[in-house]
Amino acid sequence: PDFIGLHCQEVGGKNYEDTMKHVDKFTRMLLQNEHMSQYKRAYVFLDEDFTAVEKFTALGSLYFIHNSVKDVGIYNFAERTFVPAEGKEVFTGNIEHVPIKEKSKFPKDFFPDGVWSRKGFIRTRWRLYNTVFDLVNLHLFHDASNIVAMEKSPSLYSLHREQALLHTIKRFEDDDHTKVPYFIFGDYNFRLDTHKLIKLKQFDTEPDACKLKLYEYNVTFQPSSPFSEDADECKSYMKTRCPGWCDRIMMSHSCRNIILNVETEVEYAMIGKDVCMGDHKV
């Protein structure tokens, strides 16, 4: 590929206070891997500072530009201008003041029960082949309790996810940066509607709330979570919650128009079907 965008959530894992130290080593190994030798330009944004509770999202956005690609620009949100994408830039730890990205944790009152967790977004803007677009790494709220999730439809958690997603879209619509097409891909944490699953046998309804704002290609792959974290049972689901299509790629309708103008077949599918990738597969 000419350009690779890799969006990670929960950088450092569940026990990030102990394991965050391993992330930088992993990043160096990835950048130095022989399979990445054709990508001499790379930008890495890792929000690792867990001591900044009100800002910490544990999001990681990694971008790799093939050597054959000319004239790539990344947007400086502070200066409101594009700068040439050159070399390898790795931003780790506290990245609040890095101007070539926009990062935000959701307001505290958006969180179920008002308890902070690692949820928010990172946005970058690119100019590639004379086309300008945003790439947004998003992590929405999970279902903390299966019991609470099945009490009503839509569930409490679904309403919080909808609020955060629409808040993010509105923020992009209302800010004073030039409006451009955007892709939002990450962990939406969309779940099957457990209440309807039990009562009405209806399933993947959460995306309906944002259909007017976002487009998604048909989902033909199996639910992306929660897969077993046992390497010997990588095709099986855990019994912790009902499987759901948590990991999605959605885009503004203007982004879809760009894709329609390119003579190529779009594949919207899951990777890692036969290997252990943790509880989510994308």
Side-chain angles (χ1 to χ4, degrees):
D2 290 351
F3 185 98
I4 299 174
L6 176 62
H7 286 177
C8 303
Q9 300 79 41
E10 296 190 351
V11 165
K14 293 180 173 63
N15 302 313
Y16 52 85
E17 293 183 356
D18 295 324
T19 56
M20 189 67 77
K21 59 189 176 185
H22 302 301
V23 175
D24 290 349
K25 180 180 179 181
F26 169 81
T27 303
R28 288 195 301 271
M29 292 176 63
L30 178 61
L31 291 171
Q32 296 168 5
N33 189 283
E34 62 178 336
H35 296 292
M36 303 301 292
S37 62
Q38 295 301 308
Y39 297 86
K40 299 295 186 183
R41 289 164 291 174
Y43 282 77
V44 176
F45 305 88
L46 299 172
D47 185 15
E48 300 175 319
D49 185 8
F50 52 80
T51 65
V53 178
E54 296 183 0
K55 302 290 186 180
F56 178 52
T57 64
L59 290 171
S61 297
L62 300 84
Y63 305 102
F64 305 91
I65 306 162
H66 196 273
N67 297 345
S68 63
V69 180
K70 309 299 182 185
D71 189 27
V72 181
I74 186 170
Y75 188 68
N76 185 312
F77 286 90
E79 300 294 334
R80 302 177 185 278
T81 186
F82 282 93
V83 296
E86 299 174 338
K88 294 181 179 179
E89 297 282 357
V90 180
F91 304 98
T92 63
N94 189 312
I95 61 172
E96 294 303 314
H97 301 295
V98 176
I100 54 174
K101 65 92 189 74
E102 178 187 10
K103 182 179 79 71
S104 180
K105 188 167 186 169
F106 296 127
K108 191 172 184 179
D109 59 349
F110 280 27
F111 288 75
D113 300 322
V115 178
W116 284 121
S117 61
R118 298 160 289 170
K119 304 297 189 291
F121 73 85
I122 292 180
R123 172 168 67 151
T124 56
R125 176 166 293 186
W126 300 87
R127 186 185 63 223
L128 178 67
Y129 295 133
N130 295 318
T131 299
V132 176
F133 55 90
D134 287 350
L135 299 179
V136 183
N137 184 357
L138 179 79
H139 195 185
L140 297 180
F141 314 109
H142 66 286
D143 286 10
S145 167
N146 291 332
I147 302 299
V148 173
M150 71 173 64
E151 287 178 346
K152 61 180 182 178
S153 174
S155 75
L156 169 69
Y157 305 113
S158 175
L159 293 174
H160 279 276
R161 287 190 285 269
E162 178 184 343
Q163 180 186 33
L165 178 57
L166 295 179
H167 164 82
T168 302
I169 295 171
K170 190 174 190 307
R171 175 167 171 158
F172 299 156
E173 292 175 341
D174 293 347
D175 67 24
D176 53 4
H177 296 288
T178 301
K179 306 310 167 203
V180 303
Y182 55 84
F183 291 93
I184 303 178
F185 55 105
D187 184 359
Y188 286 78
N189 259 315
F190 286 167
R191 309 295 170 88
L192 300 186
D193 189 318
T194 312
H195 182 84
K196 287 185 176 180
L197 179 64
I198 295 171
K199 302 293 185 182
L200 305 173
K201 304 300 184 186
Q202 296 179 14
F203 305 105
D204 184 39
T205 59
E206 281 203 51
D208 294 347
C210 55
K211 278 185 176 179
L212 293 178
K213 299 287 187 180
L214 299 176
Y215 177 80
E216 181 181 27
Y217 281 90
N218 289 333
V219 175
T220 58
F221 49 88
Q222 67 194 83
S224 63
S225 175
F227 279 96
S228 172
E229 295 177 310
D230 185 334
D232 295 326
E233 298 182 0
C234 60
K235 296 182 180 180
S236 301
Y237 291 103
M238 293 190 288
K239 298 179 181 179
T240 52
R241 62 178 66 95
C242 186
W245 288 271
C246 296
D247 307 280
R248 321 280 281 246
I249 299 175
M250 297 190 182
M251 64 198 77
S252 61
H253 290 279
S254 55
C255 248
R256 187 196 179 201
N257 292 334
I258 293 175
I259 295 174
L260 291 175
N261 290 327
V262 178
E263 294 183 1
T264 185
E265 184 176 348
V266 174
E267 181 180 3
Y268 187 23
M270 178 190 294
I271 64 172
K273 290 182 179 179
D274 300 322
V275 296
C276 183
M277 297 179 60
D279 61 338
H280 288 254
K281 297 190 180 186
V282 297

